[in-house]
Amino acid sequence: MLSTENDKSAASKDSTTEVASKSQEGTAEAPKQKLLDIIGSMTVEVSYRKKLKQLKTREIKKEATNTLEGLDSEHAMLQRTTEDVQGGKPLSPELVEAVSAVASSLPLNKKQTESELLAQLRRHEETTDKQKKGGIINIRNVISEMAVKRQSPVQSGVRISSRISLKVDEDDQRIKPERLSPRSFDSRRSLKVGRRLNIFTKASKETENALKTVSSPTIWDLEFAKEIAAVTAQPPRNGFEEMIQWTKEGILWEFPIDNEAGMEDDAEFHEHIFLEKHLKDFPKQGPIRHFMELVICGLSKNPYLSVKQKIEHIEWFQNYFEEKKELLQEI
Amino acid sequence: MFQDDPFLMPRNAASARLFSLSKESGRNAAKYIIKQFPQYFDKTFAEPNVPCLMPEILTPQIEGLSEEALKERIHLRRVKDSVDLFDRLVQAGTPVSLETTNSLLDLLCFYGDGESTPEKEEEKEDLEEPGVNASEQKAPKKQSQRGSQSFDSRWRENNNAERIFKIMPERNAHSYCTMIRGMVKHGASAKAYDMYIDLLNERHKADVHTFNALITAVPYLKERFLERWELAKVFLNHMAQQEVQPNLLTFNALLKTLRRCGGVGKSMSLLVIKEMEALDIEPSLATYDHLLFIFYKDVGSYPSGIISEVLDDVEKRSFTPQDPDDANFFATAMQACCDLKDIKLACRLNKAMEKGDNWKFLDVDRLNAYWSKFFSLLCMMEQIDVVLKWYKEMSPSVFYPTPKNILDLLQALDAANHLEVIPSVWEDMKQLGFNRRHDLLEELLSLMSREQHPHEIQLAFAKCAEDIKAAHEQTGREQAPLEWTGHALGSVAVLFSRAGRTQDAWNMIERLQQINRIPTDQVMNEFLDCAKQTNCPDEAIKLVKLAASLDLPSSQRLKSRTEKEFELSEKQKKTLESIKSDSDSSDSDSDSDSDRD
């Protein structure tokens, strides 16, 4: 409805049919343009607009040579759209004339202004066309989003750019998402580049050691350790792996077979067998010596006593014979 | 896993599952006997002794009303006994130390007020279900273990943990933390949040595990995506304020929450990764799993380079398990490769899986799913000789092909014009137990019967057809007889005809009539060709009669063909003449009926 009204008023005022057609497009883009402005104002839009304009001016300078077709009608339209971008007010033909007057009052920059405005109009036309197709759904989505709450710049940048990018990512290279928000999330997303959350700071080594408190593991820790171990504990894939697992559990003996597996014996074999050195306190001749040598012979063949026990045996005999020494002496 | 003998290995997925379940149940039965009757297992014959086969002493030794007895029962994880003893101690007025109370709270919060060993389940064990036992470790029971961990009892209102918590004379940070963790584990997320607020009000500091639990509970606390992210950030900020260092599990929990945050997840997950990098925390497989899920869960989302970069990292490392979710990585990654239809990525993933110990992250079920998807992708994208090489190497030793895999294989053979391999695929199908599946049989038969093939192949196809016919006719004790479809019968008839088996082909055509179907033109033409080859004009006449009786439009053509191409005796010529294709020749119809009989 708005567009038709503007059409009529525009048609009555503008001289050329070209202008009329252009105005039709121009007024059709007014609601869209207003919408973009509202969206823009929701975000940290000062920076956005400045950025947008900076980028636009950069691109305009590149395209300056191409765009100096200098149609007056387009010029008027462009001026109207610039006014829109800056003021967000509804279009009116008086504004157009005023803007053209302003532009003409700056003779030095007239051509540059023209080229800037031409480029901008082209961009807006394309945006409008695409968003026309998207149409009402777009607006509803955006409005419903706006109704939620004041969104943080980050997140609203996310929303808007994701919406717009769905529509214009094919050929409208200029309103690419990475310009709307500092984070890139088109196909150039990567694990290597990008910002971080900046919530934590890396603890230095001392604080790390200080923070490590030694406490006995709780049931949570034990069960978590079990869960972790279970992630990679797969059943054995073949007979060999099964045998390995059984060997680790103690069900199978380790090969090569060790006779002394499980036996704790601190002494070497020679300490078991060569026990003569323990006899140095006994007399060198006589029946006692003979007897003790037999005892030693028996002990050395005994596999069941430890070295300590054997020495204890010999010592017992020693004590016994010491006590009986008086008796024996008498004999 | 099974008897390591090629003859005794299970040949298909169903018998593999049966074997593993029976092995598991046998083991559990033995354990049960040893546990119930330890008095018969007290002599140690083995030297050295094998402690893992001996009965465990699980009964508490210390009696009486003392803190030592309580500690012992807590250590033995006897929940009910511990609670009873604690209550008696409190009633008797004996003070219980904070540490012991805290360890009691740990026990209660971990088991959520249930028992640690479900006694009743063990008693009524049958061969179907292996016992589900949360506290017994040992080599994991792959199917039952997952079950025991996902089934958590729910947090009841005012259960023992809450009660004891309330009556504690003093509480420290550990008490609050363990309550929070227990509540999150057993689904009482809102209460956990309230408990956390209480903790803050008491000016305590939570530890990193508590924060991890709170972050995992975020999706249950908030609905909208952005609110979830904001709440998670609140927790992170608190962590930073309380000087609690995050660990790998913190970030994994964060990413797990971001999985349920839609579009917000996509943008924020990369920030999380960068944060991990800045803190020198190396990502685990679970990290990558969450990342891939976030970016690739909607099929058809625009491609990004994330998976390629993830594979770059994964290829270089041999991973150790650090997070229970690590096990999901390879399956998710292979799913993403299949969605992207990128065979190179899939091959890279496979190489990464074979590196070092990475293969251990796939248990039997996940391994089957992974290979199944990989094989489907191969069938779609690779040359037939590569596909066949993989097929011969991998099945059935590494994985058991699913019916979908067999279908894909058949289509790949069809695309590469290698239909002569079909008889060996049929043999595999029989081994895998797919010989009664309608969809596979239809596909097989239509591929075989579509075109003419050289003679040996045709003979092999006819043998397959005979097998399929036998599969339809066998009526086992438990199986319902397989129903013939018209298309199947027609294809079998065609295959028999092409191999020169006229009588068999005729039987098939008669069967068609029995199920009230009409033979197609192709079937009839093939049959006539076969009859010509084998010089059976009687059969040809039979066919013409059949066609006439069914009023088929082609019956006239068949009749003329028979007249021209066959050497007919006088009698046969007369019979042929008498067959008319109009419906008013009822006499000849009745004649032909009696003739056929």
Side-chain angles (χ1 to χ4, degrees):
Chain A
M1 283 198 306
L2 183 65
S3 54
T4 48
E5 279 172 47
N6 279 352
D7 271 347
K8 287 181 202 153
S9 51
S12 58
K13 299 223 172 145
D14 288 323
S15 44
T16 58
T17 49
E18 249 183 303
V19 177
S21 65
K22 283 282 189 291
S23 74
Q24 202 166 6
E25 290 169 35
T27 49
E29 66 189 75
K32 303 296 187 291
Q33 193 50 52
K34 268 199 289 184
L35 214 47
L36 275 175
D37 292 334
I38 299 172
I39 298 166
S41 67
M42 295 280 289
T43 67
V44 182
E45 247 339 274
V46 180
S47 56
Y48 159 63
R49 280 209 197 152
K50 277 192 191 153
K51 234 197 200 175
L52 199 58
K53 284 194 181 156
Q54 281 167 20
L55 288 160
K56 279 182 189 169
T57 47
R58 259 186 261 137
E59 291 196 20
I60 285 161
K61 280 178 189 134
K62 287 182 211 158
E63 299 172 358
T65 48
N66 302 335
T67 60
L68 286 177
E69 312 323 309
L71 294 168
D72 285 334
S73 53
E74 276 186 331
H75 172 78
M77 282 312 117
L78 291 166
Q79 287 170 325
R80 202 192 315 171
T81 53
T82 351
E83 193 56 50
D84 256 356
V85 170
Q86 282 155 1
K89 294 175 197 152
L91 294 173
S92 62
E94 294 99 14
L95 217 50
V96 171
E97 288 161 10
V99 167
S100 58
V102 166
S104 54
S105 72
L106 305 166
L108 289 166
N109 305 357
K110 191 166 186 186
K111 273 194 177 170
Q112 188 161 1
T113 327
E114 278 182 23
S115 57
E116 282 180 18
L117 300 173
L118 273 170
Q120 198 154 339
L121 175 65
R122 202 175 303 121
R123 240 173 272 129
H124 285 305
E125 275 183 20
E126 292 178 24
T127 321
T128 315
D129 286 343
K130 286 194 180 55
Q131 287 186 336
K132 249 190 234 174
K133 291 171 204 156
I136 299 165
I137 306 160
N138 210 359
I139 302 173
R140 279 217 196 100
N141 278 349
V142 176
I143 292 175
S144 72
E145 281 309 321
M146 299 190 309
V148 173
K149 54 183 166 184
R150 279 282 137 179
Q151 295 157 350
S152 61
V154 166
Q155 179 272 334
S156 55
V158 169
R159 294 282 157 103
I160 293 162
S161 57
S162 66
R163 197 147 292 106
I164 296 181
S165 70
L166 286 172
K167 305 283 186 251
V168 304
D169 58 354
E170 299 102 42
D171 30 320
D172 194 349
Q173 299 296 315
R174 282 154 287 201
I175 313 191
K176 257 291 183 79
E178 76 256 22
R179 293 200 326 185
L180 286 171
S181 97
R183 304 180 224 303
S184 63
F185 46 97
D186 57 338
S187 55
R188 270 178 264 150
R189 262 186 254 207
S190 152
L191 291 179
K192 307 298 171 204
V193 302
R195 291 175 19 169
R196 52 174 279 209
L197 283 175
N198 262 323
I199 297 180
F200 298 103
T201 54
K202 191 161 172 324
S204 58
K205 273 281 188 264
E206 297 87 37
T207 46
E208 264 182 39
N209 293 336
L211 284 171
K212 276 193 192 121
T213 50
V214 181
S215 55
S216 64
T218 66
I219 188 174
W220 294 101
D221 302 324
L222 292 168
E223 289 295 320
F224 185 67
K226 271 194 235 168
E227 226 181 302
I228 295 292
V231 168
T232 48
Q234 300 304 334
R237 294 180 290 180
N238 50 43
F240 293 119
E241 289 192 5
E242 196 178 33
M243 285 198 278
I244 293 171
Q245 195 173 347
W246 282 353
T247 310
K248 282 192 192 144
E249 289 172 7
I251 297 174
L252 273 184
W253 284 342
E254 289 192 3
F255 288 84
I257 304 267
D258 179 16
N259 255 345
E260 294 172 15
M263 219 159 74
E264 315 235 332
D265 198 16
D266 303 326
E268 296 286 307
F269 74 98
H270 53 85
E271 292 172 39
H272 278 276
I273 297 174
F274 302 117
L275 296 166
E276 272 173 353
K277 55 180 190 268
H278 302 295
L279 286 189
K280 53 185 192 296
D281 292 332
F282 285 89
K284 306 264 182 310
Q285 304 274 357
I288 298 180
R289 181 73 184 209
H290 190 57
F291 174 73
M292 286 315 294
E293 280 178 7
L294 286 176
V295 166
I296 283 179
C297 186
L299 279 179
S300 68
K301 292 182 193 166
N302 187 333
Y304 301 110
L305 296 177
S306 68
V307 171
K308 251 185 154 192
Q309 285 171 312
K310 290 179 189 175
I311 298 178
E312 273 173 22
H313 254 78
I314 298 173
E315 282 175 2
W316 184 89
F317 275 112
Q318 196 167 357
N319 286 338
Y320 181 75
F321 284 126
E322 284 291 324
E323 282 170 24
K324 302 293 175 183
K325 209 180 199 176
E326 299 89 40
L327 277 172
L328 293 171
Q329 293 274 339
E330 281 168 30
I331 301 173
Chain B
M1 176 73 173
F2 305 114
Q3 288 280 3
D4 197 6
D5 184 321
F7 184 72
L8 297 174
M9 297 286 285
R11 308 248 189 248
N12 51 39
S15 61
R17 187 178 151 80
L18 186 66
F19 284 18
S20 66
L21 278 180
S22 49
K23 186 169 178 172
E24 205 48 54
S25 81
R27 195 180 281 146
N28 286 336
K31 280 205 191 124
Y32 171 76
I33 297 288
I34 293 182
K35 196 164 169 214
Q36 290 296 115
F37 306 107
Q39 63 269 27
Y40 301 131
F41 296 97
D42 54 359
K43 290 203 180 51
T44 61
F45 294 106
E47 199 168 322
N49 191 21
V50 185
C52 67
L53 297 179
M54 293 288 120
E56 283 176 37
I57 305 171
L58 284 181
T59 50
Q61 311 287 63
I62 309 175
E63 293 299 327
L65 211 60
S66 66
E67 194 167 321
E68 289 301 318
L70 179 61
K71 274 202 219 165
E72 196 195 5
R73 277 158 184 77
I74 294 174
H75 181 72
L76 291 173
R77 305 218 185 152
R78 299 170 77 92
V79 177
K80 203 161 169 311
D81 291 342
S82 312
V83 172
D84 283 341
L85 191 54
F86 179 80
D87 286 334
R88 281 171 29 212
L89 278 171
V90 165
Q91 272 180 353
T94 329
V96 186
S97 70
L98 180 61
E99 205 181 310
T100 316
T101 323
N102 273 344
S103 57
L104 177 62
L105 270 184
D106 281 342
L107 183 69
L108 287 172
C109 292
F110 182 78
Y111 287 112
D113 226 21
E115 269 298 330
S116 60
T117 56
E119 299 279 333
K120 300 227 176 72
E121 270 193 59
E122 282 191 24
E123 279 173 21
K124 41 179 171 95
E125 225 175 67
D126 51 320
L127 281 176
E128 288 302 309
E129 274 307 309
V132 175
N133 230 327
S135 69
E136 286 183 18
Q137 74 281 35
K138 254 280 176 138
K141 305 136 185 154
K142 38 171 193 73
Q143 280 127 339
S144 56
Q145 177 230 337
R146 268 214 297 285
S148 74
Q149 261 147 29
S150 57
F151 175 77
D152 287 323
S153 48
R154 299 285 101 183
W155 188 266
R156 285 197 323 268
E157 185 67 44
N158 205 22
N159 55 17
N160 284 323
E162 283 189 17
R163 184 172 58 84
I164 292 179
F165 184 76
K166 285 190 191 127
I167 66 177
M168 277 169 84
E170 48 161 326
R171 309 178 189 111
N172 63 357
H174 183 98
S175 325
Y176 283 97
C177 289
T178 191
M179 289 293 288
I180 294 174
R181 287 171 84 176
M183 286 170 178
V184 169
K185 180 173 175 196
H186 296 283
S189 309
K191 283 199 181 176
Y193 188 68
D194 293 337
M195 182 68 66
Y196 177 65
I197 301 293
D198 291 341
L199 178 144
L200 289 179
N201 287 341
E202 299 284 329
R203 306 232 188 289
H204 288 305
K205 282 193 183 180
D207 63 0
V208 64
H209 307 292
T210 318
F211 277 113
N212 293 351
L214 284 168
I215 293 176
T216 48
V218 162
Y220 303 101
L221 290 171
K222 297 281 182 195
E223 284 297 322
R224 307 189 62 100
F225 296 157
L226 196 65
E227 288 174 18
R228 288 176 177 172
W229 172 240
E230 291 298 324
L231 182 59
K233 271 208 293 195
V234 163
F235 288 133
L236 291 175
N237 282 321
H238 283 196
M239 271 179 96
Q241 279 165 15
Q242 296 178 21
E243 286 171 12
V244 178
Q245 276 293 343
N247 60 8
L248 170 70
L249 297 168
T250 318
F251 290 109
N252 283 354
L254 199 54
L255 284 172
K256 203 167 176 182
T257 304
L258 281 176
R259 270 167 92 130
R260 302 174 63 168
C261 287
V264 175
K266 271 194 183 163
S267 29
M268 299 303 151
S269 49
L270 293 171
L271 303 182
V272 173
I273 301 284
K274 294 303 290 179
E275 187 80 7
M276 282 174 80
E277 206 179 293
L279 294 176
D280 278 340
I281 298 179
E282 247 188 54
S284 75
L285 283 179
T287 323
Y288 293 127
D289 172 53
H290 296 315
L291 203 60
L292 286 182
F293 183 85
I294 291 173
F295 279 93
Y296 290 98
K297 65 170 172 288
D298 349 298
V299 181
S301 54
Y302 49 76
S304 61
I306 297 286
I307 187 165
S308 183
E309 291 183 21
V310 164
L311 278 179
D312 285 336
D313 282 341
V314 170
E315 274 171 341
K316 296 188 203 124
R317 288 170 60 187
S318 173
F319 288 86
T320 50
Q322 288 162 293
D323 184 325
D325 290 327
D326 282 346
N328 297 328
F329 169 72
F330 283 105
T332 314
M334 186 50 83
Q335 181 66 48
C337 290
C338 292
D339 291 339
L340 294 172
K341 298 211 182 2
D342 191 331
I343 187 68
K344 287 203 172 30
L345 280 179
C347 285
R348 277 175 73 190
L349 180 66
N350 204 35
K351 275 216 178 56
M353 198 260 294
E354 287 169 0
K355 183 185 166 95
D357 279 343
N358 291 347
W359 62 271
K360 291 188 189 169
F361 285 94
L362 283 167
D363 65 359
V364 174
D365 289 337
R366 290 195 177 100
L367 189 70
N368 242 359
Y370 168 90
W371 275 104
S372 177
K373 287 188 211 129
F374 188 33
F375 188 68
S376 291
L377 188 64
L378 280 171
C379 288
M380 239 195 295
M381 308 290 290
E382 282 278 10
Q383 300 289 334
I384 190 66
D385 44 358
V386 176
V387 172
L388 283 175
K389 177 172 89 75
W390 279 101
Y391 179 66
K392 289 211 174 22
E393 272 181 25
M394 295 301 155
S395 76
S397 55
V398 174
F399 81 112
Y400 297 108
T402 59
K404 181 174 181 304
N405 286 139
I406 299 289
L407 266 177
D408 291 336
L409 179 64
L410 287 174
Q411 280 166 10
L413 287 172
D414 186 22
N417 223 356
H418 262 264
L419 294 175
E420 69 270 9
V421 184
I422 286 189
S424 77
V425 176
W426 167 244
E427 293 296 317
D428 290 337
M429 273 171 68
K430 278 198 286 190
Q431 240 187 31
L432 290 168
F434 295 155
N435 54 347
R436 290 173 63 89
R437 289 189 64 110
H438 270 290
D439 45 355
L440 288 179
L441 288 177
E442 296 283 322
E443 181 72 15
L444 203 62
L445 284 172
S446 53
L447 281 179
M448 284 200 285
S449 58
R450 210 173 49 195
E451 295 140 3
Q452 266 290 11
H453 287 279
H455 189 64
E456 302 87 28
I457 301 178
Q458 215 59 66
L459 285 177
F461 282 4
K463 253 188 82 29
C464 278
E466 194 178 327
D467 273 343
I468 295 178
K469 179 172 114 145
H472 278 264
E473 279 162 9
Q474 103 191 91
T475 42
R477 273 162 298 141
E478 296 137 10
Q479 295 163 336
L482 199 56
E483 300 276 326
W484 279 110
T485 62
H487 175 250
L489 276 172
S491 307
V492 174
V494 163
L495 288 169
F496 279 148
S497 311
R498 287 198 191 134
R501 294 156 73 154
T502 324
Q503 196 52 43
D504 294 327
W506 179 247
N507 289 339
M508 293 292 111
I509 296 182
E510 280 186 333
R511 284 275 184 84
L512 268 174
Q513 264 211 305
Q514 279 172 9
I515 60 167
N516 285 332
R517 294 266 194 280
I518 298 176
T520 60
D521 284 347
Q522 184 201 21
V523 171
M524 294 196 287
N525 285 334
E526 290 286 344
F527 183 72
L528 215 55
D529 288 339
C530 171
K532 193 166 81 163
Q533 291 274 331
T534 53
N535 214 2
C536 308
D538 285 328
E539 307 290 329
I541 296 178
K542 275 197 226 172
L543 181 69
V544 177
K545 274 191 209 152
L546 177 65
S549 69
L550 291 173
D551 249 346
L552 294 175
S554 50
S555 55
Q556 190 56 40
R557 193 169 39 82
L558 286 172
K559 187 167 164 205
S560 51
R561 255 194 82 186
T562 318
E563 282 168 353
K564 279 190 225 128
E565 296 173 16
F566 284 81
E567 295 176 5
L568 299 165
S569 68
E570 279 307 315
K571 185 165 175 295
Q572 285 166 338
K573 275 193 193 144
K574 259 193 230 150
T575 335
L576 198 57
E577 284 297 320
S578 62
I579 301 173
K580 292 216 180 72
S581 49
D582 324 352
S583 52
D584 57 291
S585 58
S586 51
D587 292 331
S588 60
D589 278 353
S590 55
D591 279 336
S592 53
D593 279 342
S594 56
D595 273 339
R596 225 182 305 136
D597 288 352

